[in-house]
Amino acid sequence: MDSLTQIVLGAAVGELALGKKIGNKAILWGAIAGTIPDLDVITKWFFDPVRANELHRGFSHSILFSLLAAPLLGWVLAKLYKNSHATWRDWTLLMFLGLFTHPLLDAFTTWGTQLFWPSPYKVSFKSIFVIDPLYTLPFLLCVVLAMRLKRENPKRRYYAKSGLIISSCYLVLTVAIKGYTYSKFEASLIAQNIEYLDIQTKPTPFNSILWTANVQTADAYHIGYYSIFDRTDTIEFSIIPKNHHLLGASREHPLVERLIKLTEGWYTIDQQEDSLLFNDLRFGQLDFEDPESPFVFSYELYYNDNELHAKEPEKKFRDGYALLKKLFNRMGGI
C-alpha cells in the first residue's frame, strides 16, 4: 500500500501496543516502523530495473525480517527512552507489530509480498489497490482523533481500535467483492464460449467498485471490466495478442527468463524499431478504455555489444484528470 496508509496502520498498532505508557511516542514510532519495510526502494539506486523489482517486497517484507529487526530496534528505543515506563519487551512488541502489519496489508495488493522469504512465493490476494481512500481516510481520522487526547484518556485506545476494525472490515469486504466479480467474469466467459487457461481479477485504481480481469487463452489475453453497479452481466473483452514468438532465440536468455518469472507468466511482446517491449499485464494499462494504451509496467529489451539489456521506457505524460473522470464514470456502471 501507499506510504500514508502504512504510516496510519503503524501508528494505530503502536498506540494499541504502548499508547497508555508513552502516549504519542507510540504513534510516532509505530508510524516509523510501518514505513521501514519500504526502504527496499533504495535498490533502484544500485540495481537495474529488473533486479530492483525482483528485490522489492522481498526480505524486508518477510516474517523473518520482522522477527529479527524488532528486538534490535526495540533495544535501541529502550536505550533512547531509558527513563520512560516502556521496557525493551514493550518496544520490541511495538516495532514487531509495525513491521509485520506492513507486509500483511501488502499481501492483499496486486504486487504481493514474500511473507515467507527466503521462499520465492509471493502472497497476493489482489483484492485492494495500492491506494484506496475508503481504506485509508476513515483510519486516518481515527488516528488523528486519538493523537489529540492525553495518553490517560481511554478514548485514545477506542479510536485506534475503531480505525483498525473499520479498515479491517473494509479489507474483508474487498475480498468478498472480488469473489462476487470473479463469478461475473467467469459466467460471461462461459456465455461467450471463450475457452481460457487462467484468469486473474483485481480492482482498478483507487476503488473496489470497478474490477478488471486478465484472461489467458492459447495465444492471446482477453481484458474486461465489470462494475458492481453494472446493469448487464455481459462483459466485453478486448483481445491483446501474446506475441511471445517475437522473442525468438531470446526466449531462452536468462534476463528474459527472469522477466517471465517476475510477471508470473502474464506478459505480452510488442515489436519496436530496434527493440522489443516486454509488457507486464498484472498492473493493467494507463488508459483502461484504450486497448492500445501502454501498460503501467513495461521493459524495453535491446542489444548492446551483443548483450541483452532491459530498461523501463520513459512514460509519456497523460491527462490524469481526464483518466480519473473516465474511471469514475465507468465505476457508475453501464
Side-chain angles (χ1 to χ4, degrees):
M1 297 290 284
D2 64 286
S3 296
L4 175 60
T5 301
Q6 296 292 8
I7 286 172
V8 172
L9 176 58
V13 296
E15 167 62 27
L16 291 174
L18 214 51
K20 281 186 177 180
K21 289 187 176 181
I22 58 174
N24 283 343
K25 291 187 183 71
I27 289 179
L28 171 64
W29 286 105
I32 292 173
T35 63
I36 287 175
D38 274 345
L39 292 180
D40 64 359
V41 296
I42 65 174
T43 56
K44 292 185 177 181
W45 300 345
F46 304 102
F47 299 100
D48 63 84
V50 179
R51 179 62 69 191
N53 283 333
E54 287 174 331
L55 295 173
H56 184 46
R57 293 193 180 177
F59 172 62
S60 68
H61 285 66
S62 66
I63 298 173
L64 179 61
F65 176 78
S66 299
L67 291 172
L68 293 176
L72 176 60
L73 293 172
W75 178 81
V76 172
L77 291 173
K79 292 295 183 182
L80 182 63
Y81 296 105
K82 57 185 177 182
N83 294 325
S84 73
H85 299 290
T87 65
W88 167 74
R89 289 189 177 185
D90 292 331
W91 285 113
T92 297
L93 174 63
L94 183 152
M95 296 308 291
F96 175 79
L97 291 174
L99 293 170
F100 179 62
T101 53
H102 179 125
L104 197 62
L105 178 58
D106 277 348
F108 286 84
T109 66
T110 300
W111 194 284
T113 183
Q114 285 180 257
L115 271 178
F116 305 107
W117 189 96
S119 167
Y121 173 72
K122 282 191 174 183
V123 181
S124 179
F125 299 113
K126 299 180 175 65
S127 69
I128 191 170
F129 189 68
V130 291
I131 303 175
D132 191 326
L134 285 180
Y135 179 93
T136 306
L137 294 182
F139 206 171
L140 176 61
L141 176 62
C142 289
V143 170
V144 170
L145 289 173
M147 289 174 59
R148 292 169 60 87
L149 302 174
K150 294 182 178 181
R151 65 184 178 88
E152 298 87 1
N153 194 320
K155 285 189 175 181
R156 279 181 65 106
R157 188 173 184 84
Y158 168 78
Y159 284 131
K161 186 181 293 185
S162 296
L164 195 59
I165 291 173
I166 292 169
S167 61
S168 297
C169 287
Y170 178 71
L171 201 58
V172 172
L173 178 62
T174 65
V175 175
I177 296 174
K178 179 182 176 70
Y180 170 75
T181 55
Y182 184 96
S183 68
K184 293 295 184 180
F185 284 116
E186 194 173 42
S188 189
L189 288 167
I190 293 173
Q192 297 177 54
N193 295 315
I194 299 175
E195 296 184 4
Y196 61 94
L197 304 175
D198 200 0
I199 177 174
Q200 286 190 345
T201 63
K202 58 184 180 295
T204 55
F206 316 123
N207 77 102
S208 58
I209 295 172
L210 178 63
W211 290 68
T212 179
N214 290 341
V215 182
Q216 182 180 182
T217 62
D219 55 5
Y221 291 99
H222 291 58
I223 299 179
Y225 294 86
Y226 180 80
S227 167
I228 61 175
F229 296 125
D230 278 354
R231 291 171 290 279
T232 175
D233 289 340
T234 301
I235 300 171
E236 293 185 7
F237 293 92
S238 58
I239 301 175
I240 300 179
K242 290 182 177 179
N243 290 333
H244 292 177
H245 66 279
L246 294 176
L247 287 170
S250 299
R251 171 63 179 78
E252 307 302 323
H253 193 282
L255 178 59
V256 174
E257 292 283 357
R258 287 166 53 202
L259 282 170
I260 293 173
K261 182 179 180 181
L262 180 65
T263 62
E264 301 172 353
W266 293 85
Y267 70 97
T268 65
I269 305 295
D270 289 331
Q271 180 72 59
Q272 297 188 323
E273 291 183 3
D274 300 317
S275 61
L276 296 174
L277 196 62
F278 188 107
N279 301 306
D280 186 340
L281 266 67
R282 295 174 301 160
F283 306 98
Q285 295 167 285
L286 294 176
D287 186 344
F288 73 95
E289 287 188 344
D290 181 8
E292 302 298 323
S293 173
F295 285 87
V296 174
F297 281 98
S298 296
Y299 302 87
E300 183 182 346
L301 302 177
Y302 64 97
Y303 278 91
N304 186 13
D305 295 331
N306 295 320
E307 181 61 38
L308 186 64
H309 298 271
K311 67 178 182 179
E312 292 188 72
E314 184 178 347
K315 292 181 174 64
K316 296 180 180 179
F317 174 79
R318 290 184 166 255
D319 189 340
Y321 174 77
L323 291 176
L324 282 175
K325 185 177 180 180
K326 287 199 290 185
L327 175 66
F328 284 109
N329 285 340
R330 181 62 185 84
M331 285 168 55
I334 56 174

